[in-house]
Amino acid sequence: MIRLIKSTLLVTLIGLMSFFTSCKENTNTPATTPEVSGVSETKSKAVNPKTKLSDDFKNYWYNGEAEITSYKLEQERYGELREGTAVLVFVTEDFLPDAQVKADSYSENNIPVLKLNATKNFNTGIYPYSIMQSTFYPVANNQHALKISTSVQEWCGHVYTQLNNRNAFEVTSHSYFQGEADESFKLEKTWTENELWAKLRINPKSLPVGDIELIPSLESVRLNHDALKVQKANAKLESNSYTVTFSELQRTLKINFNPNFPFDILGWEETIVSGMGSSAETLTSKATKLESIKSDYWNKKSNSDVSLRETLKLQ
């Protein structure tokens, strides 16, 4: 009886701690450890058994901090390479399966995810580009991303695409380009390029290899004005890199990573054919790691915290 009471008090205490430490406005809070919080699986069908999380994973990802990594960026745009910066922010969160947003308070129905916010900033001549992709991927590593969104802003206008994993992939898209203005459609569930980055961080050996069907990243679809649909691709995993080739799109992505836990991403290369006919040119965008920190960045919003950007070499 005493053990039962202690166990009940422990679960209640963890739930209260999650509630009071949850970020409210424009903030992010790491999720509670799945085994402790008793989080259930998403209502959509799981495709594989849940991944058993190692102690190293729990200690690294459930310590109340996010991992923030900065990169020197050479980004292809309009047939030229542009200098800029990229940032990958990985953090664990609890996710609401129905509303498909971050949970502000603890519930046994929450789904623990590893979220990736990936940003790029570079200039094209006089005007700037700002790109952000956000992916919510279950740490159970047994189903597709629960939600993916992408926004691109530049002086000509801005575009936004969101994919929600429900009975099918539900896509909503908005753009200032003619023929792309407002779209809403569904796709059959399959691998998405966006989710592969988070899947790699959980277990690189779980990445799909060989000839696969894959939905390209929402960023690449937007920048290259491709139709958002399933594409044939070939994926190859080596000890410290993962390469995906879309032959029809004439595009290849190579992610370089540390083969040892926490499998941090050291950089990437994205090769595409820019232009058409005799003016076609093969260009490769590159990102090279600058610095990485662990931080509860949502609490670092004072002027005195600007020095952390210097640490990340973003100033």
Side-chain angles (χ1 to χ4, degrees):
M1 178 63 70
I2 293 176
R3 288 184 177 179
L4 178 59
I5 292 173
K6 286 183 177 180
S7 177
T8 303
L9 288 174
L10 177 60
V11 173
T12 302
L13 178 60
I14 291 173
L16 289 172
M17 289 174 63
S18 176
F19 175 80
F20 287 114
T21 58
S22 291
C23 302
K24 298 300 181 182
E25 184 177 356
N26 297 324
T27 52
N28 299 275
T29 300
T32 51
T33 307
E35 285 79 5
V36 175
S37 61
V39 175
S40 63
E41 293 184 44
T42 181
K43 294 179 180 178
S44 62
K45 182 179 178 181
V47 296
N48 285 304
K50 294 171 64 174
T51 293
K52 180 176 175 57
L53 302 179
S54 66
D55 289 338
D56 286 340
F57 185 96
K58 297 174 191 175
N59 293 334
Y60 188 82
W61 291 112
Y62 289 96
N63 69 342
E65 295 178 321
E67 179 198 82
I68 308 169
T69 307
S70 57
Y71 300 84
K72 176 184 177 182
L73 180 67
E74 297 176 73
Q75 178 67 41
E76 182 280 332
R77 194 69 183 135
Y78 306 125
E80 295 181 281
L81 293 176
R82 322 291 178 147
E83 293 186 357
T85 57
V87 176
L88 300 184
V89 181
F90 284 95
V91 63
T92 52
E93 291 181 346
D94 278 351
F95 192 80
L96 295 176
D98 294 327
Q100 296 217 328
V101 294
K102 186 184 93 60
D104 280 338
S105 59
Y106 168 79
S107 168
E108 63 178 10
N109 294 319
N110 293 346
I111 301 172
V113 299
L114 180 61
K115 183 180 74 173
L116 168 59
N117 281 341
T119 67
K120 291 180 179 179
N121 290 276
F122 56 92
N123 293 329
T124 52
I126 191 175
Y127 64 95
Y129 257 80
S130 178
I131 302 172
M132 180 171 176
Q133 300 191 92
S134 187
T135 304
F136 298 81
Y137 185 73
V139 299
N141 195 25
N142 63 345
Q143 55 192 299
H144 298 303
L146 302 179
K147 181 179 179 180
I148 304 170
S149 61
T150 294
S151 59
V152 181
Q153 304 88 39
E154 39 97 0
W155 283 3
C156 294
H158 62 121
V159 297
Y160 180 82
T161 302
Q162 180 169 301
L163 181 152
N164 292 87
N165 182 351
R166 294 194 171 97
N167 291 330
F169 283 162
E170 299 179 0
V171 180
T172 302
S173 185
H174 304 281
S175 172
Y176 67 91
F177 283 102
Q178 182 177 350
E180 300 178 2
D182 299 290
E183 298 177 298
S184 181
F185 56 93
K186 295 181 180 180
L187 295 172
E188 291 187 10
K189 294 183 183 182
T190 188
W191 300 110
T192 65
E193 181 183 328
N194 287 84
E195 72 191 34
L196 299 179
W197 296 72
K199 190 174 181 67
L200 185 158
R201 298 304 307 273
I202 297 172
N203 180 9
K205 293 182 180 180
S206 70
L207 289 164
V209 295
D211 293 328
I212 60 174
E213 291 189 335
L214 184 65
I215 297 175
S217 72
L218 302 191
E219 173 197 311
S220 70
V221 168
R222 274 309 192 185
L223 294 183
N224 297 314
H225 300 286
D226 295 323
L228 180 55
K229 64 180 183 178
V230 178
Q231 298 280 353
K232 293 184 183 297
N234 181 270
K236 180 174 67 174
L237 177 65
E238 296 181 309
S239 62
N240 61 352
S241 68
Y242 183 65
T243 304
V244 177
T245 301
F246 298 90
S247 57
E248 184 176 328
L249 298 179
Q250 297 182 294
R251 174 174 170 263
T252 298
L253 172 69
K254 181 180 181 181
I255 306 173
N256 300 310
F257 63 91
N258 179 357
N260 302 311
F261 185 85
F263 312 122
D264 41 306
I265 294 172
L266 305 178
W268 62 88
E269 298 178 6
E270 182 181 3
T271 301
I272 68 166
V273 175
S274 178
M276 300 178 64
S278 59
S279 61
E281 184 179 6
T282 300
L283 295 173
T284 300
S285 301
K286 296 180 181 180
T288 307
K289 182 178 177 179
L290 293 173
E291 294 292 341
S292 185
I293 65 173
K294 292 292 292 298
S295 173
D296 57 337
Y297 68 87
W298 47 91
N299 292 323
K300 308 295 184 183
K301 47 183 176 281
S302 299
N303 287 334
S304 59
D305 297 316
V306 172
S307 60
L308 290 173
R309 292 186 61 81
E310 296 176 1
T311 301
L312 288 166
K313 298 182 179 179
L314 294 174
Q315 292 291 82

